[in-house]
């Protein structure tokens, strides 16, 4: 029996207030309104940004259903939806692509103005949500909300993908993988036979390593204080790995020594610390080097640095979702994954049933997982 046009009752993981675990409850999901899409979630990854909702590090409106890295199937569509239809396999997009705003129209832009990443209002464009619990509104997260069996997103926030893509792997293309891989291929535009330094070898940093390798970099220096990260980084393309804890001098000076004083062509900060942001900048060539900030800076933080660092010619830039235009790039990345141009398996350390979501977050806290994926 078709559920189109009807309210769907399903399980969802709700956070009621900061610093409290998820509770899985039955919610009601209203049908999609015009230009909206209701999606049955098949698998969803746990990203550190979801944990920032739980910890209170990012300000959101409660109660809320987090989750923003998933694969699902379109259950039904609202009036006027043209890019997807019921039955299509899709990835929800935490960074929308409306196609009409200035960043969408600019060939170099990608931070669509329809995004809900700054204020995290947690509502659809009309100011309401499609989620309710016992008649009370439940907020959505980052235009997506994927820790639920069904979600509703705007058409700007969903991309159709290859129907054969395995959900528990392809979901990483919805956030972690693309954020890192895109930073290398799109934001830095790494050229063949160049050198790169990647600061931070978590799931996103490892994806940067894969991007640098795919772009043909001949030297990729992985940098992390946790040496347990080195074997995987090397498997994915790092040519050497170093820990700042093994040296007396600042790590940027170590990178300069390793490159005969030149510095690397490209450096990436994939930790989210201000000290490593300036160290990464100082590690790239003073004239033609490019340094990309991938890690989200701590809120209200400031950086003081010598302007000579950039006066000499360096480029310092940031990267959200790897600089990729989400709706255009995600289906292409899924096709490349299906064509075995890159792997995702090494990033997925745990696959858990949805109701073990709190365990998935414990693994993240203990540093025991790279990515945990929940299967619905
Ligand atoms: N020096 C070297 N390595 C360090 C240091 C240090 N001082 N401190 C920590 N590290 C290492 C850790 O040992 C760890 O291996 C790595 O840095 C960080 O990895 P993870 O596993 O904690 O995190 P990731 O890879 O999943 O994500 C890290 C980001 C910084 C990219 C992430 O938290 C983030 O800020 N994302 C960007 C924001 C964004 O794009 N958001 C959009 C939706 S998510
Ligand atoms: Zn994420
Ligand atoms: Zn836009």
């Amino acid at each position: 029996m078709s559920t189109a046009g009807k309210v769907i009752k399903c399980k969802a993981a709700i956070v009621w207030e900061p610093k409290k675990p998820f509770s899985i409850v039955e919610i009601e999901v209203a049908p999609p309104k015009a230009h909206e899409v209701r999606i049955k979630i098949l698998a969803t990854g746990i990203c550190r940004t979801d944990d920032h909702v739980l910890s209170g590090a990012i300000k959101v409106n409660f109660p809320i259903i987090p989750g923003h890295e998933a694969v699902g199937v379109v259950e039904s569509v609202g009036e006027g939806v043209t890019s997807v239809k019921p039955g299509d396999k899709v990835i929800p997009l935490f960074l929308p692509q409306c196609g009409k705003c200035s960043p969408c129209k600019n060939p170099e832009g990608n931070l669509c103005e329809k995004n809900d990443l700054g204020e995290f209002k947690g509502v659809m464009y009309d100011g309401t949500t499609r989620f309710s619990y016992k008649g009370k509104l439940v907020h959505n997260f980052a235009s997506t909300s994927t820790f639920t069996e069904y979600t509703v997103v705007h058409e700007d926030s969903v991309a159709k993908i290859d129907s054969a893509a395995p959900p528990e792997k392809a979901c990483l293309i919805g956030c972690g993988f693309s954020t890192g891989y895109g930073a290398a291929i799109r934001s830095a535009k790494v050229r063949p036979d160049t050198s790169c330094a990647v600061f931070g070898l978590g799931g996103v940093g490892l994806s940067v390593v894969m991007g640098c390798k795919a772009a043909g970099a001949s030297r990729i220096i992985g940098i992390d204080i946790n040496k347990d990260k080195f074997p995987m980084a090397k498997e994915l393309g790092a040519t050497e790995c170093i820990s700042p804890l093994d040296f007396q001098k600042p790590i940027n000076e170590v990178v300069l020594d390793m490159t005969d004083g030149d510095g690397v062509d490209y450096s990436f900060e994939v930790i989210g610390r201000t000290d490593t942001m300036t160290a990464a900048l100082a590690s790239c060539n003073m004239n033609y080097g490019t340094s990309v900030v991938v890690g989200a800076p701590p809120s209200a933080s400031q950086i003081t640095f010598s302007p000579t660092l950039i006066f000499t010619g360096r480029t310092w830039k940031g990267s959200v979702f790897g600089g990729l235009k989400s709706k255009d790039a995600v289906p292409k990345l899924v096709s490349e994954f299906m064509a075995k141009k890159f792997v995702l398996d090494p990033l997925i350390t745990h696959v858990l049933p949805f109701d073990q979501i709190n365990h998935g977050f414990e693994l993240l806290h203990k540093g025991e997982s790279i990515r945990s994926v929940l299967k619905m």
Side-chain angles (χ1 to χ4, degrees):
M1 208 178 62
S2 169
T3 45
K6 296 176 186 151
V7 169
I8 292 179
K9 288 188 176 173
C10 70
K11 278 196 292 183
I14 297 188
V15 190
W16 298 96
E17 53 184 306
K19 300 187 174 65
K20 289 280 156 66
F22 287 95
S23 52
I24 297 189
V25 295
E26 188 181 81
I27 59 156
E28 296 200 329
V29 184
K33 292 191 179 175
H35 304 289
E36 294 176 359
V37 180
R38 190 159 60 182
I39 303 165
K40 181 182 188 346
I41 300 294
L42 300 174
T44 175
I46 294 177
C47 173
R48 196 160 288 275
T49 303
D50 300 310
D51 191 49
H52 291 338
V53 175
L54 268 77
S55 70
I58 53 178
K59 294 264 162 296
V60 298
N61 293 313
F62 293 93
I64 187 168
I65 302 174
H68 60 280
E69 181 183 86
V71 166
V73 172
V74 174
E75 175 268 341
S76 63
V77 299
E79 220 177 286
V81 170
T82 55
S83 61
V84 294
K85 59 180 188 315
D88 283 350
K89 200 174 265 187
V90 292
I91 289 186
L93 307 168
F94 73 81
L95 179 60
Q97 186 184 343
C98 77
K100 297 182 194 108
C101 70
S102 148
C104 278
K105 286 201 285 197
N106 188 297
E108 291 303 315
N110 80 325
L111 194 62
C112 174
E113 288 170 3
K114 293 283 192 186
N115 81 74
D116 190 28
L117 300 171
E119 280 183 74
F120 293 103
K121 291 197 187 108
V123 289
M124 306 294 288
Y125 295 171
D126 70 355
T128 65
T129 81
R130 305 295 157 261
F131 301 131
S132 59
Y133 175 72
K134 294 187 174 166
K136 243 194 94 190
L137 177 146
V138 178
H139 292 92
N140 61 35
F141 176 61
S143 317
T144 45
S145 282
T146 59
F147 295 159
T148 167
E149 289 174 317
Y150 286 86
T151 191
V152 178
V153 303
H154 191 275
E155 188 180 11
D156 296 341
S157 285
V158 61
K160 182 182 172 179
I161 61 162
D162 184 339
S163 62
E168 69 283 5
K169 294 178 187 174
C171 63
L172 268 62
I173 293 171
C175 180
F177 173 77
S178 306
T179 297
Y181 193 80
I185 60 158
R186 173 82 197 153
S187 301
K189 298 188 174 66
V190 170
R191 283 174 295 103
D193 292 322
T194 54
S195 55
C196 302
V198 182
F199 287 69
L201 299 172
V204 181
L206 291 173
S207 303
V208 174
V209 169
M210 283 194 260
C212 295
K213 189 181 176 195
S218 47
R219 194 164 182 202
I220 304 170
I221 303 170
I223 301 165
D224 203 296
I225 47 173
N226 181 352
K227 288 185 180 175
D228 292 345
K229 309 279 175 166
F230 294 175
M232 184 58 77
K234 286 186 177 163
E235 197 179 315
L236 294 174
T239 51
E240 57 236 277
C241 289
I242 53 171
S243 166
L245 304 178
D246 286 347
F247 301 90
Q248 296 297 325
K249 53 168 96 169
I251 196 67
N252 45 294
E253 288 179 24
V254 177
V255 175
L256 288 185
D257 290 347
M258 290 170 79
T259 50
D260 298 329
D262 287 338
V264 288
D265 296 287
Y266 308 95
S267 62
F268 301 86
E269 201 280 350
V270 208
I271 305 165
R273 293 174 57 97
T274 52
D275 58 341
T276 41
M277 286 175 193
T278 31
L281 177 68
S283 298
C284 73
N285 184 271
M286 66 185 292
N287 177 225
Y288 53 79
T290 296
S291 188
V292 182
V293 173
V294 183
S299 49
S301 56
Q302 305 268 314
I303 291 185
T304 310
F305 70 106
S306 162
T308 310
L309 277 171
I310 49 172
F311 169 73
T312 53
R314 285 182 178 92
T315 302
W316 203 6
K317 65 186 299 186
S319 174
V320 175
F321 198 59
L324 300 162
K325 288 193 192 290
S326 59
K327 199 159 168 144
D328 296 343
V330 160
K332 288 184 195 151
L333 285 172
V334 172
S335 300
E336 288 178 20
F337 169 65
M338 296 302 282
K340 300 195 165 42
K341 290 208 175 146
F342 56 83
V343 292
L344 293 170
D345 283 57
L347 304 178
I348 303 163
T349 48
H350 300 79
V351 180
L352 305 167
F354 177 49
D355 55 16
Q356 283 189 29
I357 184 166
N358 285 314
H359 178 53
F361 278 82
E362 275 165 33
L363 293 167
L364 179 83
H365 296 154
K366 287 193 213 146
E368 286 174 15
S369 56
I370 300 179
R371 263 300 196 264
S372 294
V373 172
L374 305 170
K375 278 181 93 164
M376 311 309 276

